[in-house]
Amino acid sequence: MVEKNVSHITKIHLLGLQTPHSITFLIFFLFLLIYCVTICGNFLIIALVYYSKSLHSPMYFFLSQLSLSDILLVTNILPNTLHTVLMKGITISFSDCITQFYFFGVSEGLECFLLTVMCYDRYVAICKPLHYSLTMNFQLCWVLIITCWVLSFLVVLILTLPVSQLYFCGPDIINHFFCDLDPILQLSCSDASNVLLEVTLMAVINVVIPFFTIIISYVYIIITIFKIPSITGRQKVFSTCSSHLTVVCIYYGSIVCVYLVPRRGQSGDITKFLSLLYTVVTPLMNPIIYSLRNKDLKKAVNKINNNKIII
């Protein structure tokens, strides 16, 4: 029971990264540079996929949606982070905090679903190449993408609504650079057992099922690759999914470090650093990994550059 004289908090004070004053501007410009590069890199992939006919395939269509998800994530997280770095913390309304958590959850869930869909695309292309064009048709691609977006918004909404109904009596301080679920629940005076049960269920839907689907798909992919007689053939086939596999390892590796590694004895600074991996580093690395490791994207960029030179 919550005492009647304890008021419901309406403001949240985000402490941010709490960097030393001597390097405040250096950290600020570093994050600003990361934000600009992330936005430009992901928009470049979206533009390349849209305008280059050679990239009009399911794999690159899904990649453009992944870039859109990354833009949503960094736009939700980094502007406030930049503010907290300069001001050594900011005060936001409780509703804004819940809204940030919602869109953070949507973008993270969407990333999980999209990586799973992209893995299925690679599975069909490598394990069932003769059926690829028939299976991964235009209609199915759109159905998969719409399903990913709708599931992301609905699943996180089902979790966010009960969280917003809890009673929050403080303290009104969150020692983080964004409103994540665990710091929000620490402010609650209500019994959050039902919410934690929903969190587990949503985590299974958003993270666990996609993760195991990806693992099973790659087991079949690797088995198929090893059946190829020539080493050159194996390398050529593996190169078509190496970028996706790299992104999956970075993304799920950082999530495991943050949410599955026990936090007992773990300082707030370590938690913040690990959170940076999947909120800031992953959206930055995705376009870089795909650009550096993908010949089709390189050819599309070179073609655009050559056309500009001719003009």
Side-chain angles (χ1 to χ4, degrees), residues 290-308:
Y290 275 99
S291 298
L292 292 177
R293 300 177 68 90
N294 194 289
K295 294 178 180 179
D296 293 333
L297 284 175
K298 290 180 181 178
K299 288 178 181 177
V301 173
N302 291 332
K303 187 176 180 180
I304 291 174
N305 288 332
N306 292 335
N307 289 339
K308 286 182 178 180

Side-chain angles (χ1 to χ4, degrees), residues 12-298:
I12 298 289
H13 185 68
L14 284 174
L15 295 182
L17 296 172
Q18 296 296 302
T19 56
H21 185 73
S22 58
I23 60 170
T24 295
F25 286 102
L26 176 63
I27 297 296
F28 174 82
F29 285 113
L30 175 62
F31 277 114
L32 182 61
L33 177 63
I34 290 173
Y35 182 51
C36 293
V37 171
T38 302
I39 294 293
C40 292
N42 283 290
F43 266 126
L44 176 62
I45 287 182
I46 294 171
L48 286 173
V49 172
Y50 182 80
Y51 287 107
S52 301
K53 292 182 179 180
S54 61
L55 301 180
H56 288 178
S57 66
M59 181 174 68
Y60 296 110
F61 176 57
F62 298 142
L63 177 59
S64 68
Q65 296 297 311
L66 185 67
S67 293
L68 196 58
S69 171
D70 287 336
I71 291 170
L72 173 64
L73 177 59
V74 295
T75 303
N76 183 45
I77 299 294
L78 273 179
N80 268 355
T81 304
L82 289 169
H83 196 176
T84 60
V85 169
L86 277 182
M87 306 303 295
K88 300 300 179 184
I90 59 170
T91 300
I92 61 175
S93 68
F94 181 77
S95 59
D96 286 345
C97 186
I98 293 295
T99 301
Q100 186 186 47
F101 163 69
Y102 174 70
F103 283 104
F104 160 72
V106 167
S107 56
E108 290 296 316
L110 181 59
E111 188 118 356
C112 289
F113 292 136
L114 287 173
L115 288 173
T116 307
V117 168
M118 293 171 75
C119 184
Y120 175 71
D121 173 75
R122 292 300 83 203
Y123 163 76
V124 177
I126 295 172
C127 299
K128 299 181 179 180
L130 298 178
H131 299 89
Y132 182 77
S133 58
L134 184 63
T135 303
M136 299 304 296
N137 55 57
F138 180 79
Q139 289 82 2
L140 179 63
C141 290
W142 271 108
V143 168
L144 289 173
I145 288 301
I146 292 171
T147 302
C148 288
W149 280 94
V150 171
L151 270 178
S152 301
F153 277 100
L154 284 181
V155 168
V156 181
L157 182 63
I158 292 171
L159 173 61
T160 306
L161 287 176
V163 171
S164 64
Q165 298 300 316
L166 294 174
Y167 194 89
F168 295 90
C169 59
D172 59 353
I173 298 172
I174 289 181
N175 185 19
H176 214 320
F177 60 91
F178 73 100
C179 293
D180 201 357
L181 179 61
D182 188 54
I184 291 175
L185 291 180
Q186 288 178 15
L187 308 182
S188 174
C189 303
S190 305
D191 180 11
S193 56
N194 290 335
V195 173
L196 292 174
L197 185 62
E198 289 185 17
V199 169
T200 304
L201 179 61
M202 296 304 107
V204 170
I205 296 172
N206 264 19
V207 180
V208 178
I209 293 177
F211 179 62
F212 279 103
T213 302
I214 291 172
I215 289 178
I216 293 169
S217 298
Y218 268 107
V219 167
Y220 280 104
I221 288 171
I222 291 170
I223 291 172
T224 303
I225 289 174
F226 275 111
K227 288 181 180 178
I228 299 173
S230 67
I231 296 176
T232 306
R234 291 177 189 173
Q235 292 175 343
K236 185 177 180 180
V237 173
F238 183 75
S239 66
T240 63
C241 58
S242 59
S243 298
H244 176 264
L245 186 58
T246 304
V247 170
V248 167
C249 291
I250 294 174
Y251 180 71
Y252 278 102
S254 58
I255 284 183
V256 167
C257 289
V258 173
Y259 292 106
L260 297 185
V261 173
R263 296 190 181 186
R264 185 174 298 175
Q266 192 180 97
S267 70
D269 290 336
I270 293 176
T271 301
K272 293 176 191 178
F273 173 76
L274 292 174
S275 298
L276 284 172
L277 292 177
Y278 64 92
T279 57
V280 177
V281 176
T282 301
L284 172 68
M285 294 303 296
N286 283 355
I288 294 175
I289 290 170
Y290 275 99
S291 298
L292 292 177
R293 300 177 68 90
N294 194 289
K295 294 178 180 179
D296 293 333
L297 284 175
K298 290 180 181 178

